[in-house]
Amino acid sequence: MITATPSVFDLSRSRSSTGGIDSFVDRHAPDVEYTHYGSGKAALRDGLAGVADPDGNVVVPAYLSPAIAEPFHDLGLETRFYAIEGTLAPDFADLEARIDDDTVAVMSVNYFGFPQPGLERIASLTDEYDCYHVDDNAHSPLSVHEGTLLGTYGDLGITTLRKLLPVPNGALLYRTDEEIRERYSPSSFAGRADRAGTVDCRFLATSVAGAALEASPSLYRSVESALSDGSNGSKSVDPKARYEAAKVPMSKLSASIADAADPDAIRKRRRENYRTWRDILDDRNDVTLLSDSLPTGISPYEFPVRTDDSAAILAELEAAGVTGAHTWPTLRQSVRGNDEYETANRLSRELVVLPVHQGIEPSAIEAVGGRLRR
């Protein structure tokens, strides 16, 4: 069975003598200031707090999950959504039309661990309109594009660890702009916890239960559904409540796992798994690969494909033993069904993502490929 995320028992795959995640960041972004947080959204709130005018606005891609707006609302900022192209690049005419004198920042998003097309043009626009560029790199802390660590292209940026490692929480706030550095004032939920807390205990208990349930896929899915936090598309979860609950420092367990991780081994395995999915699905006429190339330095988060019948593809994958595939994302209510964001709505229905995490052996994906219809 291939599941969406590794269990806490996969840690032996990530033992390291190279210094872990912080060492990787220091190596690839030596001049960037960064601070640990429990969540990327809480980190983003602190990053903008020192420079945000409460009457201002932030312009973000429409193709994002609902919770993205919460840190901006927390600061009294209006969230404006810009349309995207099928390539995930901004619709630049729409983006520029939404910027005005009250715009505090424009956000780019590095989807699935790849740089968002048009990063340089976004940076030029924010320079022209004298606002900040937020580089949202939640999907892959280990992706480096043309020598630059993703998340550090903007004046400030974020990356998260839960999408990379078997951890209860964890994020980094990057600061490259001098004014943001000077005006940054960390909140009570910045930093790393110095002792184990409730979030660690809950995560360990859930991981133990998950390991016990893996032998029974049907029971596993029932419990997974009952415990779901909405990360795979639940519309019933309150984004504000999740955001508030995530206002905690990076947990002791998360920090320990991040320090023990081997970034090079993780990147290598994720790239192997990405290429294996590509080899399996490349010749199918009912799916289109979002990207058929895997540039040097990219550590993929998931393997995305587009299809006219996502339900059929998901059912086929599940029958073949893949329980971690899903459509992505659930859109914000103001975006969902809105004709201004037709491409984002279409992608949210058509795009299916498959797991590539380092806990999966390439041979397991190859075995799934043998069970898929051609």
Side-chain angles (χ1 to χ4, degrees):
M1 180 174 68
I2 296 179
T3 55
T5 54
S7 77
V8 74
F9 305 105
D10 291 322
L11 295 184
S12 61
R13 304 178 186 276
S14 299
R15 294 298 178 193
S16 173
S17 60
T18 61
I21 302 301
D22 282 9
S23 177
F24 182 89
V25 172
D26 292 339
R27 187 162 78 246
H28 290 280
D31 299 323
V32 174
E33 292 184 2
Y34 65 92
T35 303
H36 300 89
Y37 282 84
S39 82
K41 295 177 184 65
L44 184 54
R45 180 262 176 213
D46 270 18
L48 284 175
V51 297
D53 182 336
D55 295 323
N57 63 76
V58 178
V59 187
V60 306
Y63 190 60
L64 277 178
S65 60
I68 190 60
E70 298 309 322
F72 309 133
H73 292 175
D74 194 5
L75 296 171
L77 299 170
E78 175 193 359
T79 305
R80 297 179 178 178
F81 296 97
Y82 65 80
I84 62 164
E85 306 285 357
T87 61
L88 302 180
D91 176 332
F92 278 101
D94 186 74
L95 168 57
E96 189 165 6
R98 298 179 189 276
I99 301 174
D100 61 24
D101 292 340
D102 295 322
T103 298
V104 174
V106 173
M107 176 185 282
S108 59
V109 174
N110 302 315
Y111 295 101
F112 311 115
F114 293 75
Q116 184 177 14
L119 272 177
E120 293 81 5
R121 189 170 173 187
I122 291 174
S124 296
L125 270 179
T126 54
D127 286 344
E128 178 183 348
Y129 286 93
D130 194 25
C131 56
Y132 296 103
H133 176 194
V134 175
D135 186 10
D136 182 337
N137 189 51
H139 279 179
S140 185
L142 303 181
S143 279
V144 178
H145 175 60
E146 296 181 350
T148 299
L149 182 68
L150 292 188
T152 68
Y153 269 86
D155 300 302
L156 72 159
I158 58 166
T159 199
T160 56
L161 301 184
R162 284 188 64 200
K163 296 175 173 64
L164 178 75
L165 299 170
V167 293
N169 69 6
L172 299 177
L173 171 68
Y174 299 123
R175 302 180 299 282
T176 64
D177 177 78
E178 188 62 34
E179 183 177 13
I180 285 179
R181 289 181 178 184
E182 291 175 356
R183 299 176 67 175
Y184 168 70
S185 179
S187 65
S188 61
F189 41 85
R192 294 162 47 136
D194 58 4
R195 64 185 66 184
T198 303
V199 66
D200 294 323
C201 296
R202 184 183 301 118
F203 177 79
L204 286 171
T206 302
S207 298
V208 170
L213 290 167
E214 283 181 356
S216 174
S218 60
L219 181 59
Y220 179 89
R221 288 193 295 274
S222 297
V223 174
E224 185 181 46
S225 176
L227 297 178
S228 173
D229 67 356
S231 60
N232 285 350
S234 171
K235 296 182 175 118
S236 62
V237 175
D238 178 1
K240 179 175 174 57
R242 288 184 61 197
Y243 165 69
E244 292 296 336
K247 285 183 174 181
V248 294
M250 184 175 175
S251 80
K252 179 72 171 178
L253 177 61
S254 297
S256 297
I257 294 173
D259 289 344
D262 184 340
D264 294 332
I266 291 171
R267 292 210 301 175
K268 180 180 178 181
R269 174 56 57 81
R270 284 177 171 262
R271 289 174 63 85
E272 288 173 344
N273 289 339
Y274 188 98
R275 287 192 291 262
T276 303
W277 279 124
R278 182 182 62 192
D279 292 344
I280 291 170
L281 298 174
D282 189 38
D283 61 352
R284 289 188 56 143
N285 58 18
D286 57 347
V287 299
T288 302
L289 308 190
L290 199 65
S291 175
D292 57 3
S293 65
L294 184 58
T296 301
I298 297 303
S299 176
Y301 168 43
E302 291 172 308
F303 185 86
V305 298
R306 290 183 64 176
T307 175
D308 291 334
D309 193 346
S310 58
I313 294 296
L314 289 171
E316 182 186 352
L317 288 166
E318 184 172 12
V322 182
T323 63
H326 57 91
T327 56
W328 189 89
T330 298
L331 300 175
R332 188 112 183 147
Q333 187 174 359
S334 59
V335 173
R336 195 165 57 246
N338 187 332
D339 290 342
E340 290 185 87
Y341 309 111
E342 189 272 336
T343 300
N345 277 275
R346 187 172 68 253
L347 284 173
S348 73
R349 296 188 301 268
E350 296 179 355
L351 195 137
V352 172
V353 292
L354 289 74
V356 300
H357 66 72
Q358 61 274 12
I360 302 173
E361 297 285 347
S363 59
I365 300 176
E366 291 170 353
V368 166
R371 295 191 290 269
L372 294 175
R373 63 179 174 83
R374 293 289 177 176

